[in-house]
Amino acid sequence: MNFSRRTFLKSAGAATAGIAAVTSMPKKMLSWAEDTAQKDMKQVPTFCELCFWNCGLVAKVENGKVVKVDGNPLSLRGRGRLCGRGNAALGALYDPDRLKYPMINTGKRGEPVWKRATWDEALTLIAGKMKGIKEKYGAESMALIYHGTGASFWKHLLHAYGSTLSAAPSFAQCRGPRDVGFYLTYGSDVGSPEYYDFSKSKYIVLFGSHLGENAHNSQVQDIVSGLADGAKMTVVDPRLSNIASKADHWLPIKPATDLALILAWIRLLIEEGLYDKEYVAKYATGFDGLRAAVQQYTPEWAETETTIPKEMIVKVAREMAKQAPHVCVGAGRYAAWYGDDVQRSRGIAILNALLGSWGRKGGYFFPTGAKVPEYPGLPAYPEHEEVAKLDGAYPYAALQTTTSIRQASSSGKPRPVKAWFVYGSNLMKTMPEKQETIKAIQSLDLLVTIDTMPMDIINYSDVVLPECTYLERHDNINVGKFNGEAEIAIRQPAVEPLWESKPSWWMVKELGSKLGLAEYFPWKNGEEYIAKRCEAGGIDYAQLKRDGVIIKKGGAPYITADSQPEFGTPSGKIELYSEQLAEKGFDPVPKYTKHPQPAAGQFRLLFGRSPLHTFSRTTNNFMLTDLQKENHLWLNARKGKELGVKDGDYVFLENQDGVRSPGRIKVKLTQRLRDDVVYMYHGFGVHAKAMTRADNRGIADDDLITKSAVDPIMGGTSMRGNFVKIVKGA
């Protein structure tokens, strides 16, 4: 089977065979349900939206107000626990800065003058614009850019309208290179949540993964469990992250040289005969081509590139091999680093294959899936309009890229894109080269933003539709794939929507009617939407509503004599040497190339996630800003002394293109960082006056990311190729 967008989507959404019947959890586990009889308190199970992990929670309601949230013990994503952000749900629900009613911009984009509108007025305006755009440019000139659970309703609306053009920054600007790299190797991606079997690992390797600071709830619990049971861990990262501080080995690698280390490990495993020979012979193809291609990548060579001593390179490789196949070399999540990220991810995938960890205990498990049918009886979508492909230059763009939409919007080539719906995605912070995003927006005939908060993107919108928060709405059903189990989770309202905010299922139903598409939106309300889908899939809706989740048992998570793996590659095997890539003119085995390095007086700009914030989504949350109001600039202590910068000083940053940060940032001197980089938390430096607790707090790395390299294989945009110098004073 050849790699294509269709096969990628099919693989990502397919249900795993052999699922057992729905299992009800023992009543004794429903402690929060038992409490209901003892207290005058309504308790509503739902799931969180403060990050994509979507942990199950239970909202406790008194007198029509949510007073507390707890983790749902039945949830596989959270297992009864919530992170700091999840516990701050009330800060999202009761934020006085929330978007409260529809607004129409009567001023300029970037300099808005807001008019409060009724829902009918706002939706009528949007429908009229959509009809005109479709008539003039065609339905496919309208795009959806999204992040979040409710986006599925907006995809449905656009499909009914006639457009299939939708993209999430999480592909081109985050995990897309990783998924494509693994798909090219195994015919499968690594999932979300990832299929890491950390709790049973004997050796774990992480590349630049800030696990714990990104609060991937169940994954953090698994890695803690694995370490407690004696697993060894190596973390490769220029920064001593929190998870790196728990490692047996921290390898403070020179940025942009990770692939050099990976290739050296691959060569060493092969040349010392430490790879899983039986596994490779049975399940892989292309070994001889791989071996020939990595001969130049010796540990001595890798030391000169990475600055990691060759003795340590050899030591870690041998340690991994000793514990194989119970080894998980993590694929990471955010992978859009330097522009050759598919090949770096391919290198990680090949390394796991040599260790025999794919489909093995302690490595990567085969997930159990579940499928919930769509709402029954919907008419077929209109016949797809044949239009030029926006990502034609990238043969393995398995999903649409946001940057190609942006380019088409600016230039009209290869075809015009004249309208954006932006759902739950603050594009000013999620895409590189902000000025290019603004330029594209200024070329649009319509920009509609659907959000809960007045983010930076609002300043450039024509119409703003206020969505109610995840504690106030029914939403799409969430399905998670895990080791031997699958989770079906419900989102349902704990309280009525505040102000004039509405759920997405209602917005698209009303807008669809104004577009003459009412037949595509037959549900009466959000509860009926979920109940009908459950009925169509034989799922006990009453149980789902009561428990918040339904767990399904599944097939074997590991390779056994009776359970052999299938690989969705053209060869039907793990492809160590990729004929697919070779046919398209790409290196069939990853090849190391040098990347630009900072000039004298400059530092590579790195960024990541704060343990207390989900980027700009939570920087206005009053329960979290009291704990962390701004981001800090991590700077190597020795470098700080050389520059005459003291801990706690405020400084500006200026990048390689002469762009200076609009605000200042407080310095944090540390020995936990290489001296050729600086590091900050992403999501701060919001430019949105209506976000009163976040506006201009700290600085935004996105203001300084003015150039990016594009991965030629799938169109991902690099975000770690910008350099800055520190500027003291005013």
Side-chain angles (χ1 to χ4, degrees), residues 488-550:
I488 299 172
I490 188 175
R491 173 168 286 150
Q492 54 189 337
V495 291
E496 292 295 316
L498 294 175
W499 297 291
E500 295 179 22
S501 62
K502 297 286 187 181
S504 281
W505 65 259
W506 182 91
M507 293 188 223
V508 299
K509 180 178 174 68
E510 294 298 310
L511 184 53
S513 293
K514 292 181 181 296
L515 290 167
L517 302 170
E519 61 182 334
Y520 290 93
F521 308 93
W523 51 81
K524 297 177 182 177
N525 52 46
E527 181 166 25
E528 186 201 61
Y529 170 81
I530 295 173
K532 287 280 190 181
R533 291 184 64 192
C534 287
E535 180 182 355
I539 299 165
D540 187 339
Y541 173 70
Q543 180 192 345
L544 184 61
K545 182 178 180 179
R546 182 194 73 221
D547 296 354
V549 298
I550 286 177

Side-chain angles (χ1 to χ4, degrees), residues 112 137 333 489 513 566 642 684 717:
Y137 300 103
R333 187 166 186 94
S513 293
E566 295 181 2
E642 289 179 8
F684 291 85
T717 49

Side-chain angles (χ1 to χ4, degrees), residues 178 181-183 185-186 262 266 329 331 343-354 357-358 364 574 576:
R178 175 200 77 174
F182 269 71
Y183 203 97
T185 309
Y186 294 100
I262 294 165
I266 289 172
V329 184
Q343 293 287 29
R344 187 186 70 254
S345 296
R346 272 263 297 150
I348 294 173
I350 291 168
L351 187 58
N352 278 289
L354 293 176
S357 66
W358 187 262
Y364 287 73
I574 301 169
L576 306 177

Side-chain angles (χ1 to χ4, degrees), residues 203 264-281 287 290-291 299 310-327 329 350-357 360:
Y203 206 100
W265 277 342
I266 289 172
R267 181 189 181 278
L268 194 146
L269 291 176
I270 292 173
E271 295 309 307
E272 294 194 359
L274 300 176
Y275 66 97
D276 191 326
K277 300 178 184 64
E278 182 180 352
Y279 183 93
V280 169
F287 177 79
L290 171 66
R291 183 173 190 170
K310 61 181 182 296
E311 295 81 8
M312 181 58 69
I313 294 173
V314 173
K315 178 182 177 67
V316 172
R318 291 173 178 168
E319 286 180 352
M320 285 190 288
K322 184 178 180 180
Q323 299 301 333
H326 312 296
V327 177
V329 184
I350 291 168
L351 187 58
N352 278 289
L354 293 176
L355 293 165
S357 66
R360 307 288 274 279

Side-chain angles (χ1 to χ4, degrees), residues 66-69 86-95 470-471 621-623:
V66 181
V67 296
K68 191 178 188 296
V69 293
N87 275 301
L90 275 66
L93 173 60
Y94 296 119
D95 191 330
Y470 60 94
L471 289 175
N621 186 308
F622 58 80
M623 297 180 72

Side-chain angles (χ1 to χ4, degrees), residues 298-573:
T298 65
E300 292 76 15
W301 166 84
E303 178 180 18
T304 64
E305 294 296 322
T306 65
T307 71
I308 299 170
K310 61 181 182 296
E311 295 81 8
M312 181 58 69
I313 294 173
V314 173
K315 178 182 177 67
V316 172
R318 291 173 178 168
E319 286 180 352
M320 285 190 288
K322 184 178 180 180
Q323 299 301 333
H326 312 296
V327 177
C328 186
V329 184
R333 187 166 186 94
Y334 165 58
W337 292 2
Y338 306 117
D340 59 354
D341 305 300
V342 169
Q343 293 287 29
R344 187 186 70 254
S345 296
R346 272 263 297 150
I348 294 173
I350 291 168
L351 187 58
N352 278 289
L354 293 176
L355 293 165
S357 66
W358 187 262
R360 307 288 274 279
K361 184 179 292 186
Y364 287 73
F365 61 79
F366 297 139
T368 291
K371 191 170 181 64
V372 181
E374 295 300 325
Y375 191 92
L378 295 177
Y381 290 130
E383 187 173 344
H384 178 61
E385 178 184 352
E386 289 297 327
V387 291
K389 184 180 177 182
L390 300 188
D391 286 319
Y394 314 117
Y396 297 103
L399 301 175
Q400 180 67 57
T401 67
T402 50
T403 36
S404 290
I405 290 176
R406 183 176 71 182
Q407 170 62 25
S409 301
S410 293
S411 66
K413 299 177 181 178
R415 59 184 174 85
V417 175
K418 302 302 294 183
W420 295 358
F421 277 78
V422 179
Y423 176 85
S425 185
N426 190 6
L427 296 187
M428 296 300 119
K429 292 195 168 298
T430 58
M431 297 177 68
E433 301 166 308
K434 183 183 298 185
Q435 293 306 314
E436 292 299 314
T437 303
I438 294 171
K439 176 184 174 183
I441 289 172
Q442 299 294 10
S443 300
L444 298 174
D445 288 358
L446 177 66
L447 174 57
V448 178
T449 300
I450 308 102
D451 215 315
T452 62
M453 293 296 298
M455 304 287 190
D456 310 49
I457 185 64
I458 301 298
N459 295 328
Y460 297 90
S461 303
D462 301 316
V463 184
V464 175
L465 303 180
E467 186 175 42
C468 52
T469 68
Y470 60 94
L471 289 175
E472 302 165 287
R473 68 183 194 241
H474 286 100
D475 213 332
N476 198 14
I477 297 171
N478 190 293
V479 178
K481 302 177 182 180
F482 296 90
N483 185 336
E485 296 178 309
E487 175 183 273
I488 299 172
I490 188 175
R491 173 168 286 150
Q492 54 189 337
V495 291
E496 292 295 316
L498 294 175
W499 297 291
E500 295 179 22
S501 62
K502 297 286 187 181
S504 281
W505 65 259
W506 182 91
M507 293 188 223
V508 299
K509 180 178 174 68
E510 294 298 310
L511 184 53
S513 293
K514 292 181 181 296
L515 290 167
L517 302 170
E519 61 182 334
Y520 290 93
F521 308 93
W523 51 81
K524 297 177 182 177
N525 52 46
E527 181 166 25
E528 186 201 61
Y529 170 81
I530 295 173
K532 287 280 190 181
R533 291 184 64 192
C534 287
E535 180 182 355
I539 299 165
D540 187 339
Y541 173 70
Q543 180 192 345
L544 184 61
K545 182 178 180 179
R546 182 194 73 221
D547 296 354
V549 298
I550 286 177
I551 309 301
K552 290 191 172 186
K553 299 295 183 182
Y558 311 120
I559 296 172
T560 66
D562 298 325
S563 178
Q564 289 295 296
E566 295 181 2
F567 302 100
T569 57
S571 65
K573 291 190 173 186

